[in-house]
Amino acid sequence: MLAALLLAILGLAVSSVMAVKQHDFKLCHQSGFCSRQRAVAELVEKFPTLGPNYKFIESSLKLGKAGVEFKIVEQSHIGGSVQPGGDELLVTLDILKAAGTVRVRADPVVAKDQKPRYKSDEFVLTSVPEKSNLKVASANDKDVHYEWTHDSAKYAFVVEKSPFTIRFYVNGDEAISMNDHDLFFYENQIVKEEPAPAPPADQNAAAEDKKVDERSDDEKEFDRLKEAVRKDQWAEQFGSHHDSKPHGPTSIGLDISFPGSKHVYGIPEHATSFALKPTRGEISGEPYRLYNFDVFEYELNSPMALYGSIPFMLSHKKGQTVGVFWQNPSEMWIDVEHKSADSTTSHWMVESGSFDIFVFLGPHAAAVLDSYTSLTGRAAMPQSFAIAYHQCRWNYLDEADVQGVDGNFEKHDIPYDVLWLDIEHTDGKRYFTWDNAKFPNPANMQSDLAVKGRKMVTIIDPHIKKDDNYHVSSEAKSAGIFVKNKDGSDYEGWCWPGSSNWIDYTNAAARSFWSKKFLYNQYEGSTPTLYTWNDMNEPSVFNGPEITMPKDLVHHDNVEHRDVHNIYGMLQHRSTYEGHLLRSIDNDRPFILSRAFFAGSQRYGAIWTGDNFARWDHLEASVPMLLSIGIAGQSFSGADVGGFFGDPEPELMVRWFQTAAFQPFYRGHAHIDTKRREPWIYGEPFTGHIRSAIRTRYQLLPYIYTLFRESTVSGTPVMRPLWYAFPDDEATFAVDDEFMLGSAFLIKPVVQKDTAETEVLLPAGSNWYDYETLVKVDPSASGKLNVKTPLDKLPVFLRGGSIVPRRDRIRRSSALTIKDPYTLVIALDEKGEALGEFYNDDGRSFDYKKGDYVYAQLEFRDNTLRCTSPVAKYTDVSAKISKPKFTGHDSRVERLIIVGVHSKPKRVVSSSGANLEFTFAREGGVVVVKEPQGVFGKEWHVAFEF
Ligand code: NOJ
């Protein structure tokens, strides 16, 4: 009876979530602070005679060795929150040790605050950023000037006193400016004023009439905008939801411009183009919004907020990439505008928290990413299985189903590594439990997979079913670690299990509680090959405002939800990650997939783009979405292969498998209402094409693993935009229908039905080979190439000058290949040269941090391939392991494939002087050398004599 009632109520909740559409989410004008800050922008633009909104206080200037500090005061022109006399802010600019990085902060001198401004350093930054002090400083009555160098780059910033502006320069070229358009507007919290008593009705009306009569249109507009700057300061309503805003207006607005740059990127997550389209100026649209949401059936080409938020924007122009990161997990809206033909201005509007901006002056993308991830953390090194193929569905029904799916992969000769269980595997959506009728022997089920080197993943969401008989619920309740209402009681909302409470991961006690739940003796039925999926952690609350938590809820230490919303998911991800470390005594690299994310999530593992559709345009959108996420430091990401909602036609399924084989996270997934869609369901020729896409992925795992390792030390994305490799080629700057995997592969996905032929842009400056045929291609002068695309053909090109390590023997799972030898594909550039790398370790533990890995540098030059093993590449190695356990130090190379060779060699000779067996194919100039007598980890070479 009770169960039936619950089901009925849950049905209601689910059907209400099914109705989610755009009107469930705010537009800028429905958000108090967004409309206030946009009104400031309008006011400043329409009434330039107002003069600058902030004034530099001369007497406050302190030139320091590591940077500068000074005060500015608000001029009360705009009149949002200021008291007579204006508000003073202390501004500091610190030059950091991270190359080309400046931290800019502004804090109220006298906080009128009832509550301190929230600072998220402890959760977002990995340590206190170190200041550098190698700079030349000077000041005069107009400005303050700092200059410093790093490697060969010259950096500078100039604080102009009037009008107050900060400009950043790289090698003498202005790269970034702040407040150039006078949109800086800081709402220092104010004491609520009681409204003045209204005059008697008739007097009031007469006064109003008079006012209307006398005001000019300009005055009316001015008054309207001034009024708009004060809109919804103390409370606001959205639909039936009320936000009490007990602390009043606390927002911050600032314009950040990129002179000379037409393209900005990043600030994921949005389902839109990679190069961000303007939202103001030539078009009038909605700003990009950053507020983690569970958006049901999200729309494409939209600036709407999605599951994750990374307030990190990059700008790229010829010869220069720079970035800005606003460290603040509260809600943001960002307008993008081309105020002049060749420059871009962004207007950042932030609801609460701190003014804390990191400026990255590059000048190259790699330097920006390196500095950004040196502050927010390097990506976790995935286990080797994690980058192989994952099979998921909502839901695999029971143990027999799991066994059947697993067996079918073998039957159809398709490799895979991980089988996933969605929410239905639990006992009534009580996470950390099993439905005992359907999964009576979970440990055996996992070990049946494990004997084939396979793993399992179960879903663990942050909402905890309200049920005193459920241990997680009762223990968390008595530990007082749920998110609270304003009155101190536990907040209750609706999600999959019905009425639920939410763990407050901002609380260290809650994180430790959560982590312990992953111990084998606490999570019954879990084994060392079981990993975790954190979903619904925006958090998703079916009956909450905009399907999430009310902003006036209270977290640990009296922090409002408003201040920490965008890190909630990351903190669940972190606690789960820490739980996996705990259960393995720090010896097994965790694999955790999260849907919500923030700056720093890269430290805890993978994310995916949520509930996409089985539609061609969603396949297309996966490319810009994943590029934006990758360029924002989150290198391990993917989109549901096949599309979550709906039933993909076989052709779409094939195209999706082909594309995603070259993207970082590779998982097929489907909604509960969809038809079965495992690779063998489609029959030939489709299953065959899917098989070969997955096998291509497995061949390339050594190359992809090497890319991931590189990402863990430098922040370099695994999946990259074309301009990352071709920074001076303007034709690449807005390209987002092609992408690169590392620096060797260029992929042009086929994203339309019945595409018989497609045009590919192959940037100049490199020669290119068709990866399938290994034949050199000949694009037009503008770099265009028409490629035939029958269903078995994905246009993939190998860049001349690359060396790619592969494993060509395909087995049931990646774990079963660890003793297999390697193939090197060497694609020569115009000079007959090529470079590459190889990295491997035990694929699972942290011993690589103690030096237990093999790294090889590969170089082809002067007709000779050389393999060396320099030791200095990985600086994150903390100690030396006493007894190396990794057995792959002597991995054999069984084959070389050299492409682009001008003529047949007379002899191919090994390091020991032996003549090696080889073949030569004139088409493509492909030389294949058998058993070149090389092993990674040793120095060797192979010489080609012509
Ligand atoms: C929403 C997730 O995005 C989806 O992947 C999952 O299958 C459902 N929740 C059910 O857990």
Side-chain angles (χ1 to χ4, degrees):
M1 180 63 202
L2 189 65
L5 187 71
L6 264 178
L7 271 178
I9 300 171
L10 180 59
L12 264 183
V14 173
S15 65
S16 75
V17 87
M18 289 308 182
V20 175
K21 284 279 168 314
Q22 210 180 36
H23 59 253
D24 286 301
F25 297 94
K26 289 181 190 173
L27 297 173
C28 175
H29 75 269
Q30 294 161 312
S31 148
F33 78 92
C34 190
S35 10
R36 293 200 297 278
Q37 292 288 351
R38 261 194 165 180
V40 169
E42 267 193 79
L43 201 58
V44 168
E45 277 157 21
K46 288 186 181 154
F47 300 95
T49 49
L50 274 175
N53 194 32
Y54 285 86
K55 190 171 159 221
F56 190 92
I57 304 180
E58 192 60 52
S59 59
S60 67
L61 177 66
K62 284 193 193 140
L63 296 185
K65 268 182 143 187
V68 60
E69 69 168 61
F70 53 87
K71 289 177 192 161
I72 55 175
V73 64
E74 192 177 355
Q75 295 301 288
S76 312
H77 292 138
I78 294 175
S81 63
V82 291
Q83 311 293 316
D87 277 356
E88 281 184 12
L89 295 166
L90 177 68
V91 181
T92 57
L93 281 91
D94 294 316
I95 299 167
L96 303 184
K97 280 219 168 117
T101 308
V102 183
R103 185 177 196 180
V104 188
R105 282 176 285 186
D107 287 302
V109 173
V110 181
K112 302 197 188 83
D113 310 349
Q114 297 90 332
K115 64 162 190 175
R117 290 264 174 181
Y118 181 73
K119 297 190 190 299
S120 54
D121 296 30
E122 66 167 312
F123 295 131
V124 177
L125 305 180
T126 49
S127 55
V128 178
E130 276 185 79
K131 293 180 196 172
S132 137
N133 55 14
L134 298 165
K135 59 215 50 99
V136 181
S138 64
N140 56 38
D141 56 351
K142 288 206 177 57
D143 57 40
V144 180
H145 191 112
Y146 271 70
E147 230 178 81
W148 70 106
T149 54
H150 193 279
D151 290 339
S152 53
K154 268 179 75 182
Y155 305 109
F157 69 73
V158 175
V159 178
E160 294 173 357
K161 296 178 184 173
S162 182
F164 168 60
T165 313
I166 309 175
R167 298 184 196 279
F168 298 87
Y169 296 83
V170 187
N171 297 326
D173 180 35
E174 187 179 352
I176 298 179
S177 66
M178 288 179 176
N179 204 36
D180 205 7
H181 301 281
D182 205 25
L183 304 188
F184 179 40
F185 185 66
Y186 193 112
E187 292 184 320
N188 197 8
Q189 290 160 318
I190 50 173
V191 180
K192 191 172 184 179
E193 285 164 22
E194 290 312 321
D202 50 342
Q203 238 182 311
N204 193 14
E208 276 304 304
D209 284 350
K210 198 162 162 237
K211 208 163 147 197
V212 170
D213 286 341
E214 283 178 5
R215 288 183 308 166
S216 69
D217 283 352
D218 258 11
E219 279 169 338
K220 275 190 224 160
E221 181 63 357
F222 186 72
D223 288 348
R224 180 187 75 78
L225 288 170
K226 275 197 103 166
E227 197 46 44
V229 174
R230 291 171 173 276
K231 188 189 163 205
D232 289 341
Q233 284 181 319
W234 287 95
E236 65 187 84
Q237 192 76 19
F238 182 62
S240 59
H241 297 280
H242 182 73
D243 178 3
S244 65
K245 299 216 285 197
H247 306 289
T250 55
S251 76
I252 310 170
L254 177 71
D255 55 283
I256 303 178
S257 301
F258 304 95
S261 173
K262 279 190 262 184
H263 297 102
V264 292
Y265 312 86
I267 55 165
E269 183 180 24
H270 302 101
T272 190
S273 55
F274 176 52
L276 296 167
K277 292 188 208 92
T279 60
R280 285 193 90 221
E282 61 257 59
I283 63 149
S284 129
E286 284 294 302
Y288 295 97
R289 190 179 185 192
L290 291 178
Y291 199 60
N292 295 353
F293 280 136
D294 178 4
V295 181
F296 179 73
E297 299 190 345
Y298 61 78
E299 284 176 14
L300 301 182
N301 303 313
S302 163
M304 275 176 82
L306 290 176
Y307 312 93
S309 301
I310 305 183
F312 176 44
M313 178 182 271
L314 292 99
S315 149
H316 177 74
K317 64 185 179 192
K318 228 172 163 172
Q320 188 189 87
T321 311
V322 293
V324 289
F325 166 50
W326 193 320
Q327 195 221 163
N328 185 321
S330 75
E331 182 179 348
M332 294 186 187
W333 299 78
I334 303 162
D335 267 319
V336 171
E337 186 175 354
H338 295 303
K339 285 197 185 275
S340 66
D342 63 350
S343 83
T344 308
T345 293
S346 53
H347 180 204
W348 297 61
M349 300 168 270
V350 179
E351 179 166 24
S352 62
S354 313
F355 182 122
D356 188 1
I357 300 176
F358 293 82
V359 173
F360 302 98
L361 297 174
H364 307 298
V368 172
L369 266 297
D370 188 17
S371 294
Y372 169 76
T373 56
S374 76
L375 296 166
T376 58
R378 307 295 192 184
M381 182 63 197
Q383 292 206 28
S384 42
F385 80 82
I387 62 167
Y389 178 65
H390 300 248
Q391 184 63 44
C392 185
R393 165 170 191 88
W394 178 14
N395 221 94
Y396 289 119
L397 303 175
D398 51 25
E399 288 178 5
D401 196 7
V402 166
Q403 216 179 19
V405 171
D406 183 61
N408 262 314
F409 273 98
E410 263 142 64
K411 187 166 156 208
H412 296 276
D413 199 16
I414 301 172
Y416 92 103
D417 270 48
V418 194
L419 201 135
W420 292 53
L421 295 180
D422 208 323
I423 48 177
E424 314 300 329
H425 82 277
T426 59
D427 170 15
K429 319 292 185 296
R430 294 170 183 85
Y431 305 109
F432 303 101
T433 70
W434 302 85
D435 179 327
N436 287 330
K438 296 177 187 159
F439 296 93
N441 297 302
N444 290 351
M445 173 175 66
Q446 291 155 51
S447 52
D448 286 349
L449 296 177
V451 289
K452 300 171 210 162
R454 293 180 178 146
K455 325 285 177 207
M456 180 161 256
V457 167
T458 49
I459 195 165
I460 309 268
D461 291 352
H463 48 258
I464 303 299
K465 184 178 172 70
K466 201 164 174 272
D467 171 2
D468 288 342
N469 295 320
Y470 169 35
H471 68 284
V472 181
S473 170
S474 55
E475 289 167 24
K477 188 167 146 190
S478 53
I481 54 171
F482 285 131
V483 178
K484 305 266 186 284
N485 291 309
K486 275 197 298 180
D487 65 7
S489 58
D490 289 341
Y491 169 69
E492 222 179 290
W494 282 85
C495 207
W496 298 127
S499 189
S500 305
N501 304 110
W502 274 260
I503 299 282
D504 178 9
Y505 300 99
T506 66
N507 181 346
R511 293 198 299 279
S512 142
F513 167 89
W514 186 260
S515 298
K516 289 192 189 118
K517 288 283 162 250
F518 291 90
L519 291 170
Y520 299 119
N521 61 3
Q522 296 224 19
Y523 185 177
E524 282 178 29
S526 69
T527 71
T529 56
L530 184 70
Y531 295 88
T532 304
W533 173 15
N534 288 157
D535 186 21
M536 313 297 276
N537 53 353
E538 295 70 30
S540 173
V541 180
F542 292 161
N543 59 340
E546 304 187 272
I547 328 297
T548 190
M549 275 181 183
K551 286 181 168 170
D552 51 8
L553 295 188
V554 181
H555 289 259
H556 179 65
D557 246 354
N558 232 0
V559 171
E560 264 197 308
H561 183 69
R562 174 185 337 273
D563 289 326
V564 292
H565 176 86
N566 282 342
I567 46 172
Y568 183 86
M570 176 169 88
L571 293 179
Q572 187 205 15
H573 201 181
R574 166 179 165 176
S575 311
T576 306
Y577 179 92
E578 286 166 354
H580 278 242
L581 290 181
L582 197 66
R583 72 169 199 184
S584 70
I585 322 171
D586 287 345
N587 200 29
D588 193 62
R589 283 178 242 160
F591 171 72
I592 324 289
L593 178 76
S594 171
R595 194 170 67 175
F597 56 90
F598 189 70
S601 289
Q602 68 269 13
R603 304 185 297 245
Y604 311 120
I607 63 101
W608 94 109
T609 59
D611 298 348
N612 56 1
F613 271 91
R615 278 189 352 216
W616 289 95
D617 54 355
H618 274 258
L619 167 60
E620 188 179 7
S622 73
V623 176
M625 288 181 80
L626 297 177
L627 284 174
S628 305
I629 291 167
I631 204 81
Q634 175 66 43
S635 46
F636 200 7
S637 66
D640 284 348
V641 173
F644 179 68
F645 294 115
D647 296 308
E649 57 183 307
E651 188 184 337
L652 172 60
M653 201 61 178
V654 170
R655 292 306 192 185
W656 213 313
F657 267 103
Q658 290 172 338
T659 303
F662 293 87
Q663 294 174 341
F665 176 57
Y666 194 23
R667 181 187 77 154
H669 182 40
H671 187 272
I672 196 166
D673 295 335
T674 60
K675 295 188 194 134
R676 283 292 172 125
R677 54 159 92 156
E678 291 71 32
W680 49 89
I681 298 285
Y682 296 94
E684 294 306 330
F686 308 106
T687 296
H689 298 329
I690 294 173
R691 179 189 299 112
S692 65
I694 299 180
R695 291 169 77 101
T696 300
R697 170 69 166 217
Y698 274 72
Q699 270 190 322
L700 288 178
L701 288 177
Y703 172 71
I704 300 173
Y705 197 64
T706 302
L707 292 178
F708 268 95
R709 182 65 176 115
E710 190 187 350
S711 180
T712 66
V713 291
S714 65
T716 295
V718 169
M719 174 177 167
R720 305 173 189 167
L722 268 50
W723 60 255
Y724 202 93
F726 300 93
D728 292 329
D729 184 347
E730 282 173 303
T732 65
F733 293 179
V735 170
D736 61 5
D737 57 354
E738 299 180 12
F739 65 91
M740 294 198 65
L741 175 65
S743 59
F745 290 101
L746 181 147
I747 297 97
K748 163 89 193 239
V750 175
V751 296
Q752 262 157 23
K753 193 174 165 56
D754 295 331
T755 302
E757 189 170 309
T758 188
E759 190 184 68
V760 185
L761 171 73
L762 293 168
S766 279
N767 55 335
W768 297 94
Y769 301 88
D770 182 310
Y771 181 52
E772 190 193 353
T773 60
L774 296 181
V775 170
K776 195 170 158 210
V777 293
D778 194 13
S780 69
S782 58
K784 302 282 172 57
L785 181 76
N786 285 326
V787 183
K788 297 256 180 298
T789 49
L791 193 52
D792 62 350
K793 170 86 178 178
L794 179 75
V796 177
F797 297 88
L798 190 53
R799 184 180 177 189
S802 325
I803 302 181
V804 173
R806 287 197 324 211
R807 255 186 183 136
D808 285 358
R809 303 176 191 205
I810 307 298
R811 301 185 192 275
R812 285 172 293 173
S813 70
S814 69
L816 299 180
T817 66
I818 56 167
K819 296 216 164 74
D820 286 344
Y822 294 90
T823 292
L824 289 179
V825 183
I826 301 159
L828 300 182
D829 65 12
E830 296 294 353
K831 289 187 278 174
E833 296 177 356
L835 280 175
E837 288 183 315
F838 170 83
Y839 172 86
N840 199 16
D841 55 28
D842 69 10
R844 53 163 295 271
S845 79
F846 285 98
D847 287 351
Y848 72 93
K849 294 229 171 205
K850 300 178 192 152
D852 199 6
Y853 64 83
V854 59
Y855 170 69
Q857 239 167 38
L858 303 156
E859 187 177 18
F860 193 100
R861 191 146 45 105
D862 302 331
N863 296 328
T864 303
L865 171 73
R866 285 187 188 77
C867 173
T868 52
S869 282
V871 282
K873 168 87 182 184
Y874 289 109
T875 49
D876 59 342
V877 168
S878 50
K880 207 83 201 124
I881 197 159
S882 47
K883 280 199 196 114
K885 289 190 261 96
F886 170 49
T887 53
H889 286 286
D890 51 0
S891 325
R892 184 166 63 90
V893 177
E894 65 171 342
R895 189 184 300 118
L896 307 178
I897 303 174
I898 304 107
V899 296
V901 180
H902 49 77
S903 58
K904 183 175 177 182
K906 287 200 194 93
R907 285 197 329 145
V908 179
V909 187
S910 76
S911 307
S912 65
N915 271 337
L916 300 174
E917 212 182 298
F918 70 93
T919 59
F920 176 70
R922 196 154 302 279
E923 202 196 4
V926 181
V927 177
V928 178
V929 181
K930 264 208 210 155
E931 300 298 346
Q933 302 181 358
V935 290
F936 290 127
K938 300 230 166 70
E939 311 256 314
W940 51 278
H941 66 263
V942 172
F944 294 73
E945 293 177 9
F946 290 92

